[in-house]
Structure formats: C-alpha cells, structure tokens
C-alpha cells in the first residue's frame, strides 16, 4: 500500500507542477494582458508532461464566465471563479477522506470482534498483525495528513474568496490584486490535488451555481 501510494503521489506531483506553471501564466496573460516572452512561452510548453500537439483548442470563454477586458477587475474575477471551484473540490475531497478513514476504522473494529469470537489463538494473532499493518497505513501522515491538508487548503482558499469581495468594494486596487494573486498561487500550490473523481461528481452542480 505504501509503495503504491508513493508511486501515485510522485506521478501526480509531476503533472501538478506543470499545471501550476500554466495557471500562473493564464492569470497574468488573461487577467492583465501581460504576455510572457517567446522564450518563456516555449519553456512553459516544454514543461508539459502531456503532448498538446493536435489537441482541440480550449477557449477562455469555455473556462471562465468573466467578460471583462484585461484589467485588475478581470484578474479578480478570474481568481474568484477559480477559488470558488477549487474550494468546493477541496471541501468535497476532505469529506470523502473523512468517510474513508472512519469506514476503515469501523471495518477494522467489526473484523476484530468477528475474529475474537470465531478464530483460534494462532489465527487471532496473525489476523491482528495484518489489521495493525493496514491501520498504521490509514492513520499515517500520508493518509491522515492528506485529510488535514484538504481542510487547511479549503480554509485558505475560502479566505482568498472573501478577499476578492473586499477588493471589489475597494474598486480593485492594483497593489491589493498583485498581493492577492501571489497569495492565491501560494495557497493553490500548497493544496493537494483533489481526489480524481470528485470533479466529475461536482461538475454539474458547480456549473449551475
């Protein structure tokens, strides 16, 4: 279990890094019309782990609802939309991890009671060793820590969402927005990737909202 978890984490991190780079570029290019040099654009493209050759183009209007011209207001609305989605996915992932941990503890308890009632002494020792090994994995820093990471990142991104509302009341001051984009990127990069199937579960409801 630990070996599989480690391989999946490393595989995910490789794509997470290039995705973060692309997100930062999109916010600057789309929000403020700050176009990176050709060299920087090529570096970003080369960092992608999946080929984009012959892939269908994705329009910004398909991803974001804002129709403002490039400005601090547009940047704020891009961050607001992204924070809205990301926060929801982090909350949903935290709920699922919570269910997984409690379900694993409940199953371990039921198995323990069953084993105590029905197994002989030798089987009892062997099964308890297996249960302890499995439970150590589930309450390790990787799994239990992931639950806490989802909760903390959801809280941090919720705060970003509230700060966008405050910036709107202040007529989107540039200095506040530049600080906001820095803090937002930092919060996203600290956040663990959502559980893979969560976005499919939440997509319709989030789109309607």
């Amino acid at each position: 279990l630990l070996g599989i978890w480690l391989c999946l984490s490393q595989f995910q991190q490789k794509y997470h890094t290039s995705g973060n780079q692309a997100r930062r570029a999109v916010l600057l290019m789309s929000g403020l019309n700050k176009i990176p040099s050709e060299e920087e654009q090529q570096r970003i493209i080369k960092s992608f782990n999946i080929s984009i050759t012959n892939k269908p183009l994705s329009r910004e209007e398909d991803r974001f609802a804002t129709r403002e011209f490039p400005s601090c207001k547009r940047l704020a609305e891009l961050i607001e939309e992204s924070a809205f989605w990301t926060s929801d996915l982090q909350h949903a992932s935290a709920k699922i991890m919570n269910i997984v941990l409690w379900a694993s503890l409940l199953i371990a308890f039921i198995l323990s009671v069953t084993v105590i009632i029905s197994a002989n002494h030798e089987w009892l020792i062997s099964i308890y060793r297996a249960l302890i090994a499995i439970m150590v994995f589930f309450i390790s820093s990787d799994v239990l820590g992931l639950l806490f990471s989802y909760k903390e990142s959801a809280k941090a991104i919720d705060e970003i969402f509230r700060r966008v509302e405050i910036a709107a009341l202040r007529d989107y001051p540039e200095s506040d927005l530049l600080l906001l984009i820095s803090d937002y990127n930092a919060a996203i990069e600290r956040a663990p990737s959502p559980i893979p199937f969560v976005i499919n579960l939440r997509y319709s409801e989030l789109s309607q909202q």
Side-chain angles (χ1 to χ4, degrees):
L1 282 171
L2 287 170
I4 292 169
W5 187 271
L6 180 62
C7 290
L8 288 174
S9 296
Q10 292 299 311
F11 187 73
Q12 185 184 57
Q13 188 59 41
K14 184 172 67 171
Y15 293 96
H16 196 62
T17 301
S18 57
N20 284 333
Q21 176 69 80
R23 186 196 65 257
R24 291 192 294 268
V26 166
L27 288 174
L28 285 175
M29 294 169 72
S30 180
L32 298 176
N33 200 28
K34 302 293 186 183
I35 310 300
S37 65
E38 283 291 331
E39 291 77 12
E40 277 297 302
Q41 291 182 46
Q42 288 300 316
R43 185 185 64 79
I44 293 170
I45 291 170
K46 287 178 181 177
S47 73
F48 291 163
N49 303 109
I50 299 174
S51 174
I52 59 174
T53 306
N54 300 323
K55 298 291 183 182
L57 295 177
S58 180
R59 299 164 65 243
E60 284 183 50
E61 290 79 5
D62 297 332
R63 300 291 178 182
F64 296 102
T66 181
R67 295 296 180 263
E68 293 291 327
F69 288 105
S71 61
C72 287
K73 183 178 181 181
R74 179 177 176 83
L75 177 61
E77 290 185 356
L78 292 175
I79 294 173
E80 184 178 40
E81 289 182 48
S82 186
F84 173 75
W85 279 75
T86 308
S87 173
D88 186 277
L89 296 177
Q90 294 290 310
H91 280 294
S93 296
K95 288 178 182 177
I96 290 172
M97 287 301 300
N98 210 18
I99 291 169
V100 168
L101 284 169
W102 280 108
S104 65
L105 289 171
L106 180 61
I107 290 169
F109 175 75
I110 292 170
L111 286 174
S112 298
V113 173
T114 304
V115 167
I116 290 170
I117 293 171
S118 60
N120 59 41
H121 181 69
E122 187 176 336
W123 269 100
L124 188 65
I125 293 173
S126 299
I127 291 173
Y128 262 120
R129 283 174 177 166
L131 281 174
I132 289 169
I134 293 170
M135 292 313 301
V136 165
F137 170 73
F138 276 107
I139 62 173
S140 68
S141 60
D142 283 323
V143 180
L144 190 60
L146 185 60
L147 170 61
F148 293 139
S149 294
Y150 280 131
K151 289 183 175 180
E152 288 299 317
S153 64
K155 183 179 177 181
I157 297 167
D158 285 341
E159 180 62 25
I160 295 290
F161 194 81
R162 284 190 288 270
R163 285 172 61 187
V164 172
E165 294 177 340
I166 295 170
L169 294 173
R170 294 173 177 166
D171 198 26
Y172 306 102
E174 183 178 2
S175 56
D176 286 7
L177 263 296
L178 292 176
L179 182 59
L180 187 60
I181 191 175
S182 299
D183 292 345
Y184 172 70
N185 283 322
I188 294 295
E189 286 162 25
R190 283 197 308 271
S193 296
I195 294 173
F197 58 84
V198 168
I199 192 166
N200 294 325
L201 293 176
R202 301 289 302 148
Y203 187 84
S204 296
E205 184 177 341
L206 282 172
S207 296
Q208 288 173 1
Q209 290 182 23

